[in-house]
């Protein structure tokens, strides 16, 4: 059996996969590499989370499976609870339900209300109670009004839950009532350090053991062995798309120069490409690279496998408990994981 590395994880179907079926090979590859957790994000075109989680469970035996993230307001709480309970049973307890705030503009277009911190906290409380076998009668709270919610009176389990956090209120929420928290990609060292401190302090204030809240760094990890065009898409393209979607929030969080963001967004080539990591050509991405400050892109793991391992180790030094190697397929991560294992064996 491959030795699992519980401190490392990866995303399945990172970015824009050719087919949802690619997940089957990827989860097998991830488990073979020894990665501890497979994260599944959600896009409705061909990355619906419940379907993908079931597929991942069916072809794996050891790796943890975590949604990071779905949004609690896209399904009725009973549907989500039923999915989580089924996944726990199907995997033998390897499932973590991860939620996030989502993109307000997109949710508004779909006719959904924006997700608030109070809603996510209320929702987490409902899931906890359902998994303890409670019959919830006449609930009227931020997550909604429900006459009856009930799974199984014989049930008495703890559902591991995760939240994807960006702003200070979500970080505090993570410390109060979640088991795991996933930070955003392209956080600077100072931002990462500050976020870890906020989560742990919130946990302590809530009377919890801070060590019980696992903080995941989401580290863009793209080695030099990845072909040049793919590297551009996974680095410049991905960060560029974040800047196009919610650049001001990322700039404010990292205390980056807002003038640089405006130069990037107002550029005629950039503004003419909706989703740089999806449809941007190599030439367009090369142009975008001239507009993104290099220190913004530096908040990642790039270069040789040894360079990438050093960047991973840096996340632990900043206080993170575990690291998601983000943006690459498991096979693209293979040389980096091998170098990581070698470094651990050398250190004893």
């Amino acid at each position: 059996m491959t030795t699992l590395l519980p401190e490392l994880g990866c995303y399945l179907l990172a970015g824009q996969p050719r087919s949802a079926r690619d997940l089957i090979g990827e989860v097998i590859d991830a488990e073979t590499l020894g990665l501890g957790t497979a994260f599944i994000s959600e896009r409705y075109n061909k990355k619906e989370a419940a379907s993908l989680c079931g597929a991942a469970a069916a072809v794996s035996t050891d790796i943890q499976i975590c949604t990071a993230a779905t949004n609690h307001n896209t399904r009725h709480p009973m549907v989500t609870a039923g999915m989580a309970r089924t996944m726990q049973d199907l995997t033998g307890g390897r499932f973590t339900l991860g939620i996030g705030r989502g993109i307000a503009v997109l949710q508004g277009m779909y006719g959904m209300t924006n997700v608030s911190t109070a809603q996510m906290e209320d929702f987490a409380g409902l899931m906890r109670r359902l998994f303890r076998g409670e019959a919830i009668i006449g609930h009227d709270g931020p997550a909604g009004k429900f006459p009856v919610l009930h799974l199984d009176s014989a049930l008495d389990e703890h559902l591991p839950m995760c939240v994807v956090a960006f702003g200070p209120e979500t970080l505090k929420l993570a410390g109060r009532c979640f088991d795991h928290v996933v930070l955003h990609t392209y956080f600077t060292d100072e931002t990462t350090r500050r976020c870890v401190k906020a989560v742990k302090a919130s946990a302590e204030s809530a009377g919890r053991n801070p060590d019980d809240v696992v903080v995941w760094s989401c580290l863009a990890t793209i080695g030099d062995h990845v072909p040049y065009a793919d590297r551009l898409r996974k680095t410049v393209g991905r960060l560029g798309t974040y800047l196009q979607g919610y650049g001001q929030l990322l700039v404010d969080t990292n205390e980056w120069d807002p003038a640089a963001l405006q130069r990037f967004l107002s550029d005629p080539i950039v503004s003419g490409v909706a989703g740089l990591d999806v449809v941007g050509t190599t030439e367009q991405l090369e142009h975008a690279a001239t507009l993104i400050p290099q220190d913004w892109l530096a908040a990642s793991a790039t270069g040789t496998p040894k360079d990438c391992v050093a960047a991973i180790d840096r996340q632990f030094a900043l206080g993170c408990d575990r690291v998601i190697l983000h943006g690459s397929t498991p096979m693209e991560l293979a040389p980096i994981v091998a170098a990581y294992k070698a470094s651990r064996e050398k250190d004893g």
Side-chain angles (χ1 to χ4, degrees):
M1 180 185 294
T2 302
T3 301
L4 287 178
L5 300 167
E7 71 274 24
L8 297 184
C10 72
Y11 270 91
L12 304 178
L13 302 182
Q16 296 292 325
R18 292 167 298 178
S19 168
R21 285 191 61 83
D22 292 347
L23 174 137
I24 295 172
E26 287 188 12
V27 72
I28 293 171
D29 291 341
E31 193 165 72
T32 300
L33 285 174
L35 297 177
T37 303
F39 290 87
I40 292 175
S41 61
E42 187 164 53
R43 294 184 183 179
Y44 302 124
N45 56 354
K46 52 186 171 183
K47 290 173 64 173
E48 191 275 329
S51 304
L52 296 181
C53 285
V59 296
S60 63
T61 57
D62 297 296
I63 197 167
Q64 298 288 315
I65 299 168
C66 177
T67 56
T70 187
N71 305 125
H72 82 271
N73 62 338
T74 56
R75 301 174 182 86
H76 190 281
M78 285 304 304
V79 176
T80 303
M83 183 268 278
R85 179 69 193 107
T86 304
M87 278 297 300
Q88 280 290 72
D89 195 48
L90 186 63
T91 62
R94 291 185 287 121
F95 178 71
T96 298
L97 176 64
I99 65 171
R101 195 176 297 272
I103 301 174
V105 172
L106 188 60
Q107 292 181 339
M109 290 170 57
Y110 292 156
M112 297 184 289
T113 58
N114 292 346
V115 174
S116 69
T117 303
Q119 288 174 350
M120 291 192 289
E121 186 162 11
D122 192 32
F123 174 81
L126 292 173
M127 292 298 109
R128 300 293 194 208
R129 294 172 64 187
L130 288 171
F131 270 72
R132 289 197 297 265
E134 291 187 33
I136 303 171
I137 309 297
H139 181 83
D140 187 359
K145 188 174 183 178
F146 308 106
V148 179
L149 297 173
H150 181 55
L151 268 180
D152 184 347
S153 59
L155 188 60
D156 186 12
E157 295 182 3
H158 175 77
L159 171 66
M161 293 191 70
C162 172
V163 64
V164 176
F166 208 128
E169 294 306 313
T170 316
L171 293 167
K172 293 176 185 176
L173 172 66
R176 286 197 302 272
C177 61
F178 283 84
D179 304 284
H180 299 257
V181 53
V182 173
L183 304 182
H184 199 274
T185 322
Y186 288 103
F187 272 1
T188 65
D189 285 359
E190 179 53 38
T191 298
T192 300
R193 190 181 292 111
R194 184 175 69 250
C195 288
V196 172
K197 184 177 179 180
V199 170
K200 301 293 186 177
S202 177
E204 191 168 15
S205 296
R208 306 178 68 194
N209 182 347
D211 292 338
D212 289 342
V213 186
V214 177
V215 179
W216 287 87
S217 163
C218 191
L219 182 69
T221 306
I222 299 94
D224 281 350
H225 55 279
V226 174
Y228 171 71
D230 289 339
R231 291 205 310 274
L232 271 180
R233 178 171 51 84
K234 293 170 181 287
T235 55
V236 173
R238 177 52 58 89
L239 178 53
T241 299
Y242 293 153
L243 295 175
Q244 288 176 316
Y246 42 87
Q248 193 60 54
L249 178 58
L250 191 55
V251 164
D252 290 344
T253 301
N254 280 326
E255 298 181 353
W256 284 339
D257 180 10
L261 173 65
Q262 292 309 310
R263 285 194 296 271
F264 176 80
L265 294 177
S266 62
D267 180 83
I269 293 178
V270 170
S271 61
V273 181
L276 280 165
D277 67 328
V278 179
V279 297
T281 66
T282 298
E283 292 73 20
Q284 289 169 333
L285 292 172
E286 287 175 332
H287 175 75
T290 67
L291 301 169
I292 300 177
Q294 284 303 302
D295 61 314
W296 295 13
L297 287 163
S300 59
T302 58
T304 66
K306 184 177 179 180
D307 293 333
C308 291
V309 170
I312 294 166
D313 287 339
R314 177 67 178 163
Q315 301 306 297
F316 295 127
L318 294 170
C320 295
D321 301 298
R322 300 180 186 179
V323 181
I324 302 172
L325 311 181
H326 183 259
S328 294
T329 67
M331 282 296 92
E332 289 171 335
L333 293 171
I336 298 168
V337 174
Y340 180 87
K341 290 179 179 178
S343 72
R344 292 306 182 265
E345 291 171 0
K346 182 179 178 181
D347 294 340

